[in-house]
Amino acid sequence: MRLVTFSAGDRPQPGLVANQKVIELPYPDLVAFLEDGDRARQTALKLAGNPSAAVMHPLSAVRLLAPLPKPPKFICIGLNYRDHAIESGLPIPATPTVFAKYSNAVIGPGDTIQIPKVSQEVDYEAELAFVIGRRGKDVAPAQWKDCVFGYTMVNDVSARDFQRATSQWVIGKTFDTFAPMGPELVSADEIPDPHNLRISCEVNGRVLQDSSTSQLIFRIPELVAYLSQVMTLEPGDIVSTGTPPGVGFARKPPIFLQPGDEVVVKVEGLGELRNRCR
């Protein structure tokens, strides 16, 4: 199933996408839907099988928002593609590099990435993200599928000058609007192998990143196990798994985002995430 958060009027609401329609889900948001587990899934399937006209909207007539505008946790993994670590001139990490974004950074498809006045080095990063669907602590790698509901896309926009000013990356990663997300949360059954997906990023139609999730150093089973040793993973938590090579700061000459630029992130099976800079 493909889930969205959308607006057809004044308030955001969760929905199920089917046949170019959005069907309203009877939950306050997608976090509540995920918390309801198997019962929520059955509710969605029942609605999809016999939707009432009163809860259906043409997909073209609604505004799609970030699927999870306020995730309980927004966890990011750095340097997690072999080819990206190599282009960065850094050794392949022995343990995951973990940082966070905050919900102020989250925007949806079509929303504007704001170039801050204080940064001259705003960069793009196409990423596959997985979303937790079931609470888990000390999860064994072999049990990762019990915890993961599905997948979405994230653009881990980064102010490199702020990021490099300190050994801690967060300050350069979580400016307002620096986490475009979406457009959909796609359930895991629709993505047979998340470790073999083409991933790319285009800026103004030029392909600047083009790789495969087969290049991930720490795969989803390892990340679920590693993170759940430290923190309880909860429904709605997002883990963005890192970016492939081709980022702006590593290019010669560097390419940084400018007002008017259009950035498009694509991950096989998940569609495209399109945002313009201002």
Side-chain angles (χ1 to χ4, degrees):
M1 64 181 63
R2 293 176 176 262
L3 305 177
V4 295
T5 295
F6 73 99
S7 174
D10 294 332
R11 64 180 182 87
Q13 53 191 323
L16 171 69
V17 176
N19 300 318
Q20 295 301 304
K21 304 283 187 183
V22 180
I23 304 167
E24 296 176 17
L25 293 171
Y27 292 87
D29 52 38
L30 284 186
V31 173
F33 176 91
L34 294 171
E35 288 173 339
D36 205 25
D38 291 339
R39 182 167 54 185
R41 184 183 289 267
Q42 292 304 314
T43 296
L45 292 174
K46 184 177 179 180
L47 283 171
N50 187 26
S52 162
V55 297
M56 281 199 304
H57 307 267
L59 183 58
S60 60
V62 304
R63 178 188 172 202
L64 295 183
L65 310 174
L68 295 155
K70 293 187 179 296
K73 293 191 269 305
F74 196 146
I75 304 163
C76 300
I77 309 299
L79 286 176
N80 199 27
Y81 279 73
R82 295 182 185 279
D83 39 12
H84 176 48
I86 291 168
E87 79 165 352
S88 301
L90 296 169
I92 303 298
T95 57
T97 299
V98 180
F99 61 96
K101 285 181 179 274
Y102 304 128
S103 59
N104 66 290
V106 177
I107 58 174
D111 288 343
T112 301
I113 299 168
Q114 298 172 11
I115 305 295
K117 296 177 181 178
V118 294
S119 176
Q120 303 302 313
E121 299 182 0
V122 177
D123 209 344
Y124 50 86
E125 293 192 8
E127 305 203 0
L128 169 71
F130 64 89
V131 176
I132 299 300
R134 183 172 297 168
R135 193 172 188 269
K137 173 68 173 167
D138 295 322
V139 181
Q143 303 302 313
W144 71 276
K145 291 183 179 179
D146 293 342
C147 282
V148 173
F149 175 85
Y151 308 97
T152 192
M153 292 181 284
V154 167
N155 185 352
D156 176 20
V157 182
S158 306
R160 300 297 188 189
D161 36 10
F162 274 71
Q163 181 183 350
R164 292 196 305 265
T166 171
S167 62
Q168 303 298 315
W169 293 2
V170 173
I171 194 66
K173 295 284 191 171
T174 200
F175 279 78
D176 291 346
T177 75
F178 270 26
M181 181 198 303
E184 299 172 330
L185 169 55
V186 180
S187 58
D189 57 294
E190 295 210 15
I191 306 295
D193 184 2
H195 305 107
N196 188 29
L197 303 174
R198 185 178 179 185
I199 179 171
S200 66
C201 180
E202 301 174 6
V203 178
N204 300 328
R206 179 184 175 189
V207 178
L208 297 178
Q209 292 183 283
D210 191 359
S211 187
S212 169
T213 58
S214 63
Q215 289 287 313
L216 284 168
I217 298 167
F218 301 103
R219 297 189 167 200
I220 297 172
E222 297 166 274
L223 293 175
V224 169
Y226 182 77
L227 293 169
S228 69
Q229 294 178 106
V230 177
M231 64 193 86
T232 300
L233 298 176
E234 301 169 306
D237 287 350
I238 295 172
V239 182
S240 200
T241 59
T243 201
V247 293
F249 86 88
R251 291 183 167 271
K252 295 181 174 42
I255 297 174
F256 294 116
L257 296 176
Q258 304 297 322
D261 285 351
E262 185 178 56
V263 188
V264 183
V265 172
K266 298 179 182 180
V267 176
E268 185 179 350
L270 301 182
E272 64 178 41
L273 172 62
R274 187 179 297 265
N275 299 90
R276 192 172 290 277
C277 302
R278 183 176 63 197

